[in-house]
Amino acid sequence: MPEGDSVHKLARRLDRSLLGRTVARSDLRVPRLATRDLAGRAVLEHATHGKHLLTRFSGGVTLHSHLLMDGEWSVTRPGRRLPQRLQPDVRVVLETTEGSTAWGLRLHQLDLVATAEESRLVGHLGPDLLHDDLDVAEAVRRLRADPQVPLVSAMLDQTRVAGLGNLWANELAFILGRSPWTPVGEVDVERLVTLAARALRHSALVPGAYQVTTGTGRRGESHWVAGRQRRPCLRCGTTVQMVDEITNDPANRRTWWCPHCQPGPSRPSS
């Protein structure tokens, strides 16, 4: 699942191909946007808020997309197009006057709004951990608003802080040395926000550091607990545990933890 750092890196990649260029042809392949045309508009910016991508065009128009679990954007060079087998998944086509084309695939959330009205789509989100103007105090306040919510569930709630997905929520709980089910009110939330912001920025901005949480990119050693069920903890050797997600509950996704390094409550029985 894409996380805040994933979308930030995507935005910078799209910048390299599209920023400042004019759309020659657009094709929005969702029924409610099918008649809208972006031709003649210049791409001004690819902004992000958490996991949301906001492509801003001249004339005060923004194309909003969310990758959810499997969405993606791809860019082809002039004269190239995506393979035919991928065409049924295409939801957006933006061909520039220079010939390069951006393709949005499996975009389950797609909106076209006035740039001045973007808050309709992202205004409910908490502070973005990757923004330079991150309001740490507001992020702390939101995380503390319901102190009994489990730590990992609180981090996954995008209305509290925006940008953390399942990988980072699990890895940060390990780094903090707390059980994923520790009530967030019992955690040093200021430290959590500072650590999360630093980790996401490092992942998004430092070459070779993308979602490496242990400091080493060696195969099988880049994460402390995520994806390491039934394998020894890299710190203490205890077997890493995993419980499956609760179906249709975004606050309770697949959870990994080391029982020795992360003491505290276990997952409540359902």
Side-chain angles (χ1 to χ4, degrees), residues 129 134 168 191-204:
L129 292 164
L134 169 64
W168 279 112
R191 180 174 176 240
L192 167 61
V193 172
T194 300
L195 179 63
R198 185 167 67 242
L200 258 68
R201 290 173 185 174
H202 185 77
S203 175

Side-chain angles (χ1 to χ4, degrees), residues 36-234:
R36 304 292 294 274
D37 188 7
L38 294 169
R41 297 182 186 272
V43 179
L44 301 181
E45 183 178 11
H46 292 100
T48 63
H49 195 117
K51 304 174 187 182
H52 298 251
L53 177 67
L54 301 164
T55 303
R56 294 169 178 159
F57 297 88
S58 58
V61 172
T62 294
L63 180 67
H64 162 262
S65 59
H66 193 301
L67 304 184
L68 291 184
M69 296 291 287
D70 61 346
E72 64 177 302
W73 281 88
S74 182
V75 179
T76 54
R77 292 175 292 178
R80 300 289 184 89
R81 68 195 309 271
L82 288 184
Q84 188 59 39
R85 61 183 174 80
L86 296 179
Q87 291 299 324
D89 293 328
V90 173
R91 299 294 176 267
V92 178
V93 181
L94 298 175
E95 182 180 349
T96 69
T97 52
E98 290 81 2
S100 58
T101 303
W103 310 78
L105 293 85
R106 298 178 299 280
L107 300 176
H108 307 283
Q109 293 182 11
L110 202 61
D111 303 278
L112 196 62
V113 298
T115 301
E117 297 178 3
E118 289 176 358
S119 61
R120 288 170 39 202
L121 305 172
V122 297
H124 64 290
L125 300 172
D128 187 308
L129 292 164
L130 276 165
H131 285 185
D132 292 337
D133 61 353
L134 169 64
D135 188 338
V136 173
E138 177 61 11
V140 169
R141 185 192 70 79
R142 290 187 180 219
L143 284 165
R144 283 179 172 161
D146 189 347
Q148 295 306 310
V149 172
L151 171 60
V152 164
S153 298
M155 285 192 277
L156 290 174
D157 184 345
Q158 301 299 296
T159 67
R160 297 171 187 263
V161 289
L164 294 176
N166 205 38
L167 182 143
W168 279 112
N170 281 269
E171 292 294 285
L172 288 166
F174 177 89
I175 294 168
L176 289 170
R178 304 304 293 265
S179 159
W181 298 280
T182 303
V184 70
E186 297 179 12
V187 174
D188 183 342
V189 178
E190 290 90 345
R191 180 174 176 240
L192 167 61
V193 172
T194 300
L195 179 63
R198 185 167 67 242
L200 258 68
R201 290 173 185 174
H202 185 77
S203 175
L205 301 175
V206 176
Y210 176 62
Q211 294 190 347
V212 173
T213 62
T214 60
T216 176
R218 286 193 295 269
R219 184 178 178 86
E221 297 182 11
S222 58
H223 301 147
W224 290 110
V225 289
R228 292 184 54 81
Q229 64 269 26
R230 297 186 298 277
R231 300 179 66 186
C233 173
L234 293 172

